[in-house]
Amino acid sequence: QVQLVESGGGLVQAGGSLRLSCAGSGRTFGSYGMGWFRQSPGKEREFVAAINWSGGSTAYADSVKGRFTISRDNAKNTMYLQMNSLKPEDTAVYYCAARNNGFVVTTTNYSHWGQGTQVTVSS
């Protein structure tokens, strides 16, 4: 069982940057496939980015490709999402997720979820 805690959200102006972190517990963190998702009021949770167990394979939603970078440091049991050139439409609660299968998965089919961190981008 892994527990996930997100941090790094906040209020930023359009064009700015934020880095989200997702700290995981447990010895098996390095074997999990992981992802970032976001949800805005009235909308379904949507895929943002995913990374495999080693960090060697990643995937991104088209809406964030070229602006966001997902990475992980298994020695620190932490995953990151570097968000640059932020837009007002990036405003959402961002969730990190983990699954026992260590591969990249772009659907919400994850078994472990964090509590979320709010990102607000002002115009």
Side-chain angles (χ1 to χ4, degrees):
Q1 186 80 7
V2 62
Q3 292 184 323
L4 304 172
V5 179
E6 303 95 337
S7 61
L11 173 63
V12 64
Q13 288 188 332
S17 298
L18 282 174
R19 188 176 81 155
L20 305 183
S21 298
C22 174
S25 64
R27 293 178 162 180
T28 56
F29 179 90
S31 68
Y32 285 93
M34 300 193 71
W36 287 99
F37 293 79
R38 66 187 182 187
Q39 189 167 19
S40 304
K43 295 186 177 181
E44 292 188 353
R45 192 168 297 188
E46 65 173 357
F47 167 73
V48 175
I51 190 166
N52 77 330
W53 65 275
S54 69
S57 181
T58 59
Y60 296 92
D62 287 343
S63 59
V64 307
K65 203 171 291 183
R67 300 188 297 121
F68 291 10
T69 302
I70 189 171
S71 62
R72 66 191 297 165
D73 185 339
N74 288 339
K76 296 182 178 179
N77 278 16
T78 303
M79 176 180 65
Y80 305 97
L81 185 68
Q82 177 66 45
M83 305 186 295
N84 299 329
S85 302
L86 282 161
K87 304 175 181 180
E89 51 263 43
D90 294 318
T91 295
V93 177
Y94 283 71
Y95 298 90
C96 69
R99 52 179 286 136
N100 294 341
N101 182 312
F103 301 111
V104 168
V105 173
T106 61
T107 67
T108 55
N109 191 17
Y110 284 74
S111 51
H112 310 286
W113 292 85
Q115 82 290 348
T117 185
Q118 176 71 46
V119 171
T120 303
V121 184
S122 63
S123 57

